Amino acid sequence: MTELRTLKVALLGCGNVGAQVARILIDDAGTLAPRTGARLELAGIAVRNLDAEREVDLPRELFTTDAETLVKDADLVIELMGGIEPARSLILSAIQNGASVVTGNKALLAADGPALYEEADKAGVELSYEAAVAGAIPILRPIRDSLSGDRITRVLGIVNGTTNFILDQMDSTGAQFADALAEAQRLGYAEADPTADVEGHDAAAKAAILASLSFHTRFDLEHVYCEGITRVSAADIAAAKEAGFVIKLLAIAEKIGNGDGSEGVSVRVHPTLLPREHPLAAVRGAFNAVFVEAENAGELMFYGQGAGGTPTASAVLGDLVSAARRIVLGGPGRIESTTGHVPALPIDAATTSYYIGLDVADQPGVLAKIAQLFAEHGVSIEIMRQTIHRDADSNVESAELRIVTHRASEAALAATVEAVKGLDVINSVTSVLRVEGA
Amino acid sequence: MTELRTLKVALLGCGNVGAQVARILIDDAGTLAPRTGARLELAGIAVRNLDAEREVDLPRELFTTDAETLVKDADLVIELMGGIEPARSLILSAIQNGASVVTGNKALLAADGPALYEEADKAGVELSYEAAVAGAIPILRPIRDSLSGDRITRVLGIVNGTTNFILDQMDSTGAQFADALAEAQRLGYAEADPTADVEGHDAAAKAAILASLSFHTRFDLEHVYCEGITRVSAADIAAAKEAGFVIKLLAIAEKIGNGDGSEGVSVRVHPTLLPREHPLAAVRGAFNAVFVEAENAGELMFYGQGAGGTPTASAVLGDLVSAARRIVLGGPGRIESTTGHVPALPIDAATTSYYIGLDVADQPGVLAKIAQLFAEHGVSIEIMRQTIHRDADSNVESAELRIVTHRASEAALAATVEAVKGLDVINSVTSVLRVEGA
């Protein structure tokens, strides 16, 4: 193996996302290095309180309260402190030192993004922030890169898990807003002070970022019309439901013709009725999704977890590895990566559940015989269902048996099916199909 | 405006995707240039037959039958000819001349990808192929870049629109395979010889690409177990439906523990039962979707159009602009792009449909009065629905009126609602909510 260069990573902040980022950098160092083309060394973690309790057990010697010194020596800086200062000054100092920066700080980006982007541009470093919008969902990078040759016309996003959870609760249980909010707080989906979420401020900051990237123009909070969900009543939800709609808090950015040939962009956040068959209507609980309409691509949707330490850490690490590759390779690296070295397995090694349809004799004891045979082959039955048909003319009865198994190997299943075929009570095996996602 | 450098683009092939790529390069030249940091000049289009009919009207002087000469002079080459030769030789010649290459040729990638990647790597150019899997859906780039810091555990993809259309038809109409196939052929979703689609070969080539990127290891067609949909019967679909499942042709790549601490990857294509509540189950018609499970990110789904000239052209252009940015900027460019210059519009400029709930007096003529007032304000009513409640004790009747409008401006709607409030037959306006996606 060739000697890999080492890149020093400074982590600022060790909350629920930061702690997971640190854990992954340490635990997965061996996997990340060949993919990146460099060893990513976690040089230190800047925190306010060295003795605070952490979600993850991390080496004590990594912690420091001296963020300035940590940043000075880093090739890559991850900012997950939140808030405006000292995050802003530390990011600027990192950029001026030639480090690339990854942040999830949407408040800072909404307040002062353009100044930061310009500094990064001048210094020739990357400033990336996939984690700032829709947590784990890759959305900013696809908009920037994959859709760079298209014209986006509209973006509709469920980008706040707290409000989606509350509205979903109201929709499925008929609860009032206050009760659904209390439930969200009990389950940890809403904070003690839920204002930023329920009044739409969090979604508005994300709407500004999505609009800026989608329409290649700077939009900030002052351009975003914002209306939260506190006035949505159980009666509204019930009436919407009856009419075939679901109510979602959407972040919307859309291009609108002004009627005089010119165009503008409307950026807004408000509770919105969506037809139940719309792809976004099926986004339940605290999940996020962004629906993008583009002139050439048509309709696209990106769906996943919008918050949580580990999912958001995935987005941070994606930005980090991409920025590191650029330092090492001067570009994203080839699209093929062959650092995994895992063997391809034959189909016999795959395990799935199976659905098996059998045409069987209608005799007592048939079910027991078949169940016995499955058990002997180590294939566990989850559901077994028999339907009896009687032919009205001949008065002959036949029985159809449908079996869904637990996960089993292809090999075990194939042997079972062979054995079943040999039973005298079996007329035919009508179907064998694999089941996923159950 | 600063003088932009010009990059010469050679287009090989002018079928339904190629023709749209050419159209966009010509029509959107002015939008693409500032985003790219270079003018993308369509230098020529290599075709076999100069006189063939094209879907798009393109300047005749662009066409040539001399692909070799065209490629020699290009900075970027787009290969959309399909098939192995001459596509393979032309791509190799482009790479050796230092050009970056964009292709959608999955057959070639499945047959000879690794050799091409290595050549591109040696020459320091990009070889990208987003269009080869799931058409317009950004999936390869997110897997390579956004998930580069995560560990993918499983990928489930609906990556063939023809078979998804056929299975969806069978599911919704109860049709047999042969009839659904005939319908797909009639509508242009299936080719006259549908073998590559219905036998799963097309999905298998895509499965190999998805598995290779997801698990950082080379997999090719010989590693893919492949079973098509020709043996799926209407009875299978009906039985699956009754049990709460839908049948989809899935491309699956998943990591499996071998029980001895080692791991392998199972890559396979087969008809699969999915629970109806699974996000992939809702992917209807000829749409595609890829469901990705990763250790940190959790569940992600990418949804959109999997085929068609214009959507696939969007993926080709995204690769092209990204490759061009790398030539010009030595990297992907900053994530913020401010080349759009569209103004932010006030909320009054937005148009949506509205849902309005009214508590009205139960008198004859109320509906007419309200409808008249909406009409006067230029707000068109789509649905109007009245429910009468009678209080059992007091015997007093009250009426609830629910209105859904066609698209109207915020300003017109606000004026309408104000006027409605002034009507003597109105007790109260119980809700005003915006409707999207209808």
Side-chain angles (χ1 to χ4, degrees), chain A residues 28 35 148 150-151 154 213 216 218 236 265 268 273 301 314 330 335-337 340 343 345 431 434 436, chain B residues 28 35 148 150-151 154 213 216 218 265 268 273 303 314 330 335-337 340 343 345 431 434 436:
Chain A
D28 291 355
R35 287 188 200 174
S148 56
D150 208 330
R151 294 166 187 259
R154 191 150 79 133
L213 288 172
H216 303 271
R218 276 178 200 156
D236 285 336
V265 172
R268 53 191 203 270
L273 271 73
M301 190 170 80
S314 171
I335 201 165
E336 193 205 29
S337 157
L345 299 177
S431 52
R434 298 169 190 88
E436 290 286 351
Chain B
D28 291 355
R35 289 189 198 171
S148 56
D150 208 331
R151 292 166 186 263
R154 191 151 79 133
L213 288 172
H216 303 269
R218 276 179 199 155
V265 171
R268 54 192 203 271
L273 271 72
Y303 166 94
S314 172
I335 200 165
E336 192 206 29
S337 158
L345 298 178
S431 52
R434 297 171 191 85
E436 290 286 352

Side-chain angles (χ1 to χ4, degrees), chain A residues 309-362:
Chain A
T310 312
T312 309
S314 171
V316 171
L317 267 293
D319 276 350
L320 187 78
V321 169
S322 298
R325 279 183 188 157
R326 192 179 162 198
I327 294 173
V328 180
L329 309 165
R334 69 169 165 194
I335 201 165
E336 193 205 29
S337 157
T338 54
T339 61
H341 308 296
V342 281
L345 299 177
I347 186 69
D348 281 355
T351 67
T352 62
S353 299
Y354 294 85
Y355 167 88
I356 299 139
L358 300 172
D359 178 357
V360 300
D362 177 28

Side-chain angles (χ1 to χ4, degrees), chain A residues 130-305:
Chain A
E130 184 65 75
V133 180
I137 309 174
I139 179 67
L140 303 189
R141 209 170 276 278
I143 288 177
R144 181 189 64 170
D145 297 337
S146 310
L147 290 166
S148 56
D150 208 330
R151 294 166 187 259
I152 293 175
T153 50
R154 191 150 79 133
V155 178
L156 301 177
I158 295 174
V159 293
N160 180 275
T162 306
T163 48
N164 201 56
F165 178 86
I166 292 171
L167 292 171
D168 191 25
Q169 276 288 110
M170 292 174 73
D171 186 78
S172 56
T173 69
Q176 286 291 358
F177 171 74
D179 299 326
L181 169 60
E183 176 72 358
Q185 285 171 322
R186 200 180 63 77
L187 293 170
Y189 289 126
E191 295 181 40
D193 175 1
T195 313
D197 292 319
V198 299
E199 295 295 356
H201 304 153
D202 172 78
K206 294 165 178 169
I209 295 173
L210 285 171
S212 300
L213 288 172
S214 301
F215 298 106
H216 303 271
T217 300
R218 276 178 200 156
F219 298 103
D220 46 49
L221 268 179
E222 72 186 44
H223 298 121
V224 186
Y225 171 83
C226 178
E227 201 179 305
I229 64 165
T230 55
R231 284 179 304 169
V232 176
S233 67
D236 285 336
I237 303 250
K241 202 169 185 170
E242 203 192 296
F245 292 99
V246 60
I247 299 185
K248 297 286 186 191
L249 183 71
L250 295 189
I252 301 174
E254 65 176 335
K255 202 178 259 188
I256 297 176
N258 290 323
D260 58 358
S262 75
E263 285 178 324
V265 172
S266 167
V267 194
R268 53 191 203 270
V269 170
H270 54 65
T272 315
L273 271 73
L274 275 175
R276 289 206 169 246
E277 59 275 16
H278 192 282
L280 284 176
V283 178
R284 309 290 305 270
F287 272 80
N288 279 198
V290 182
F291 191 80
V292 178
E293 296 170 29
E295 268 180 29
N296 300 318
E299 299 181 346
L300 300 168
M301 190 170 80
F302 303 79
Y303 165 95
Q305 295 194 57

